[in-house]
Amino acid sequence: MLRLDRVTKRYGVGAFGGTTFTAVRDVSFAVAPGEVVSLIGESGSGKSTIGKMILKLIPVSEGSITLDGTDIGAFARRRRKEYYRHVQGVFQDPFSCYNPVFKADRVLRMIKEEYFPRVGRAEWDERVAAALESVRLDPGAVLGRYPHQLSGGQLQRLLVARALLLDIRYLVADEITSMLDASTRIDVLNLLADLRARGLGVLFITHDLALGNYISAKTVVLRRGEVVEMGETGKVFANPLHPYARRLLASVPQLHARWDGDEDAGAAGCALHDGGHAAEGERLAEVEPGHFVACAGAEGGCAAATDGGRAKAVSHRR
Amino acid sequence: MTTSDTGSSAGSSAGGGAPGAVAAPGAVAPAAAGGPAVRGTVAETLYFALRNGKLLTGLSVLVLLLLTALIGPLFLPPDPNAYVGLSGRPPSAEHWFGTTHFGQDVFTQFVYGLQATFLVGALGGGIAAVLGMVVGFTAGYRGGVVDEILNALTNVVLVLPTLAVLLVINAYLGVRSVAVQGLFIGLTSWPWAARAIRAQTLSLRSRDFTDLARLSGVPTWKIIAREIAPNMSSYLFMTFILLFGGAILIGASLDFIGLGPTHGISLGLMLNNAAQWSALHLGMWWWFIPPGAGITAIVGSLYVMNVGLDEVFNPKLRET
Amino acid sequence: MTLRVNDLKVYYKTLRGEVKALDGVTFEIGDAEILGLAGESGCGKSTLGKALIRMDGRMRLRGGTVELDGERLPIDDDAKMNRYRYHEVSLIPQYSMSAMNPTRRIGRMIRELLESRGVRYADVAEELVRRLRLVELDPDVLNRYPIELSGGMKQRTVMVISTLLNPSLLIADEITSALDVSTQKAVAKALAGFREHGFVKSMIFVTHDISLTYQIADTIMVMYAGKLAEKASAAAIVNKPRHPYTQLLISSLPEVGVRYADKRLSGIPGSPPSLLDPPAGCRFRDRCPLAFAKCAEEPPVTEVAPGHYVACWKG
């Protein structure tokens, strides 16, 4: 289980790092093996920051990220390298992930150099062929080519194949389809969903609700670094209770329906304060089994919220 | 636009820090473009290089002078400071650049001076480049405390009045050779290169392929050497050229004020001698114009080459 | 206003030859019509959008004509096109975030822009303020620097600026791609609003997002590999597409509510052909599940129903 516990990330900005900017605040959720969790948020929501913290590309300010109970924060060079055997990432822009001066399959070679230096050539080629087949890539079409000779979809899949060479357990997919054409997007997604059968846990970071809804079992909706709603995908999408989540859902252009006049009439107050489901000190209320909602904030019409949209009432925070 | 534009840009910006170069949409054929790839990029770079007037002009002048410096001494008497002729003669068939006040052949001095000048440039520029790269890469990649310390060091050396320091050091050294001069110049002129390289490294470090290398467990030094530096290769090349030219100028300045090498000859030293012996007043133009023109030609051609190279490496500056 | 494009061919000159980005496209736009130009990367929609207003250095007109209100548009002559730009034909560029000079206050930038076009700022100032209010922008933005505005605000500002002189034709080139979903909606609606208010007569809305196009366009034109694949009313394209490419494209779009466990969608395998040396015949042939012998011959665009054009033998 890959678990985030009250993870917070702060940056010092301004001259001399005086002001603090909180990119991620008090975020907790988990990804189980064989499960796809989508992390949905718009730009500035902190979703990429969370992805990078899980991948240990940036350090956590507060809170912890644990893999099967072990806190990954303390991992230094050698243990971090071991960690990467189990957790890998794929990013948004396939073309910027590849160093343009080298061939595309160099990303595979880097893995061999660092993790499998003693594996023989023939065996390595077999493993590569197997990994490429898992992502439905033809070895002849991608090996030996430069990044600009391959399409975005192929490059993304090659990155997934690279991750598979390591026999990973969790994959962080950060907006991997945003730069792909619509027709290739769905194939890459199907691939992720198929990988679940191998026991792979996927954190699917995206701003596209339709995609998140398509493949994930659980959804976490993020806004300005905080979780506003999370739970089983079906429940969250069928009945969003947080005003932000509702607004987001209403703005998605649908294929067979046009936007109506003014959507989101009748947002129903604050699920956290009014519903009374919240346990003492919790940020999120479990409004139904497997469906959690945060305070709607002052702008969402919560009477109990103070100070610009975030409940500062003591009873809500440990 | 999505895939094909950014794909082409990644391809054609190889070897240069030129992001966002837009090639023709649709020109990227997935898996059908065949062979030419980086070979194509190198070929493309060469194509533009061979058509760039500034680059060709600068390079020709430089190569001409370099050849003169390398081959010339083979045909000339070994000691440029020997007294071979009548003093103060203007250029003639026997002494192509005339003679100095002491009867030394100016042309011989010029050719050996070119040699010394190139040596100072290569040494000084080379040492400065290496130092600049080490400091720049480390500071740019590591960030944090290391960056702060290295920045402080860079700033200190940057604000040192280089010439004054070199004056003091050189004055204390009894015997000065071209190599030592080159060494000291190298040790003091690296800061701006370090700064520039640090800036580029900072930007490249945040690119996805660096993250991917980290995720592959690649150690830091390898990331710098294999991922970051190759993407800056054109930048590093041009930085070296500028350091080379700069070293020559500083060397010439030192020579001119009398702190040049104690043996041998250099272009700056020639100018120094010419000035000391009132060549200008006496109308002995052949004594100071060749070395002056020589320094100007070398440094000028280097800078012109650099501008041309910038156009070659940066697709946006090219005129198609 | 009417725009008639006839067999337009615009190629890109590259070191390796000419990329036939737009290879013979014919269509018409009527008065007060919003045309959604949809397609994937490399289909030629951006080239078409750009060609209609300003061809960049590498584009070459290789055939065809463009007529605006019966008058021929000299799209290959940069200087002659100048009098049409901004007055008759205007463009909202894709990355408007970067389209504004960061060192100028917005009001001043507009003033300079107008003056370069021979329009006095004082004449349009009042209208400018009125329009800013219409797109829900505080007229105070004129005194601010671009960096102080959010992405959506900048986009809306650029939209107002581009339409200030009431052009007949507005080309919106992927204006919502870089925006968040909620801002996207606001911007798309604002754009549709321009037509309602009469600021522009007709629009070409270039995008890769068909769902978004469906929201505001009257007609959708789907392009593939430099050619027209299908053009019909928005409802027809989405509900009753006739071209296999359009059909496959529509069916590969996940909608909120469709889940992998319930119904597995599939994309279109393969990729578009190289436009340096495009294949003869129908360009979609290699990826088309319905391809047959006749597809080796290029299908002409035929009107299979009133206002519904398809380039397919099976359409």
Side-chain angles (χ1 to χ4, degrees), chain B residues 84-166:
Chain B
V84 294
L86 299 170
S87 93
R89 288 277 168 267
S92 61
E94 203 190 318
H95 299 285
W96 290 355
F97 282 3
T99 59
T100 70
H101 185 85
F102 304 103
Q104 299 155 315
D105 184 23
V106 175
F107 184 70
T108 317
Q109 287 195 331
F110 178 72
V111 173
Y112 279 96
L114 274 180
Q115 227 183 24
T117 304
F118 274 112
L119 193 59
V120 164
L123 258 179
I127 293 176
V130 168
L131 278 176
M133 283 199 269
V134 167
V135 173
F137 280 136
T138 315
Y141 190 82
R142 295 296 301 275
V145 167
V146 174
D147 188 19
E148 303 282 337
I149 296 175
L150 287 175
N151 263 353
L153 176 66
T154 310
N155 287 337
V156 166
V157 179
L158 190 62
V159 303
L160 280 180
T162 316
L163 213 49
V165 170
L166 285 173

Side-chain angles (χ1 to χ4, degrees), chain C residues 18-188:
Chain C
E18 288 204 323
V19 175
K20 300 170 182 60
L22 201 58
D23 210 359
V25 170
T26 305
F27 65 96
E28 258 183 50
I29 304 182
D31 198 23
E33 183 179 338
I34 297 184
L35 174 75
L37 195 48
E40 302 185 297
S41 39
C43 70
K45 60 187 193 294
S46 268
T47 310
L48 178 55
K50 279 193 231 168
L52 288 175
I53 184 157
R54 183 167 199 257
M55 306 227 276
D56 73 32
R58 300 154 302 157
M59 289 163 74
R60 303 274 182 273
L61 179 66
R62 287 281 177 250
T65 57
V66 176
E67 271 178 30
L68 183 65
D69 290 329
E71 201 185 326
R72 179 125 170 218
L73 269 188
I75 55 175
D76 50 340
D77 190 329
D78 198 48
K80 288 211 190 102
M81 264 303 277
N82 218 17
R83 78 168 177 85
Y84 294 92
R85 286 189 198 115
Y86 202 39
H87 296 273
E88 310 272 346
V89 185
S90 192
L91 170 79
I92 306 177
Q94 180 175 4
Y95 291 107
S96 51
M97 337 284 158
S98 335
M100 295 196 279
N101 188 338
T103 61
R104 286 265 189 285
R105 288 185 204 271
I106 293 174
R108 177 147 167 223
M109 186 200 85
I110 300 178
R111 180 192 303 265
E112 288 173 359
L113 172 64
L114 289 172
E115 262 147 40
S116 76
R117 296 245 130 230
V119 177
R120 274 186 45 211
Y121 182 70
D123 294 340
V124 294
E126 200 185 305
E127 181 64 18
L128 175 62
V129 167
R130 184 173 87 91
R131 293 192 186 187
L132 283 173
R133 287 221 174 85
L134 263 168
V135 294
E136 285 163 37
L137 277 175
D138 184 354
D140 187 51
V141 299
L142 291 174
N143 296 327
R144 298 202 212 144
Y145 287 97
I147 197 174
E148 300 176 59
L149 271 54
S150 76
M153 289 167 81
K154 277 189 271 202
Q155 191 66 284
R156 278 178 282 162
T157 312
V158 172
M159 282 162 66
V160 167
I161 297 173
S162 299
T163 51
L164 203 51
L165 300 184
N166 292 351
S168 301
L169 178 67
L170 178 68
I171 302 168
D173 188 359
E174 300 258 20
I175 63 176
T176 52
S177 308
L179 301 175
D180 289 329
V181 137
S182 35
T183 331
Q184 219 176 49
K185 182 169 177 184
V187 166

Side-chain angles (χ1 to χ4, degrees), chain A residues 42-43 181-183 186-187 190 193-194 210-211 213-214 216 250-251 253-261 263, chain C residues 40-41 180-182 185 189 211-212 214-215 217 238-239 253-260 263-268:
Chain A
E42 301 190 308
S43 53
D181 282 327
S183 55
I186 207 75
D187 286 332
N190 285 340
D194 291 344
L211 293 178
N213 176 243
Y214 180 66
S216 64
S251 308
Q254 302 269 40
L255 251 191
H256 299 284
R258 289 212 156 164
W259 288 321
D260 26 29
E263 36 313 292
Chain C
E40 302 185 297
S41 39
D180 289 329
V181 137
S182 35
K185 182 169 177 184
K189 282 189 137 178
S211 322
L212 187 62
Y214 176 68
Q215 305 297 324
V238 165
N239 296 316
L253 299 175
E255 283 197 80
V256 177
V258 175
R259 306 208 56 203
Y260 173 83
K263 175 179 152 197
R264 192 188 155 117
L265 300 174
S266 65
I268 312 179

Side-chain angles (χ1 to χ4, degrees), chain B residues 203-225:
Chain B
S203 106
L204 282 172
R205 183 194 188 284
S206 58
R207 296 255 223 115
D208 287 341
F209 59 77
T210 311
D211 280 342
L212 202 69
R214 287 167 74 192
L215 278 178
S216 305
V218 181
T220 307
W221 67 267
K222 246 196 213 175
I223 295 183
I224 293 179

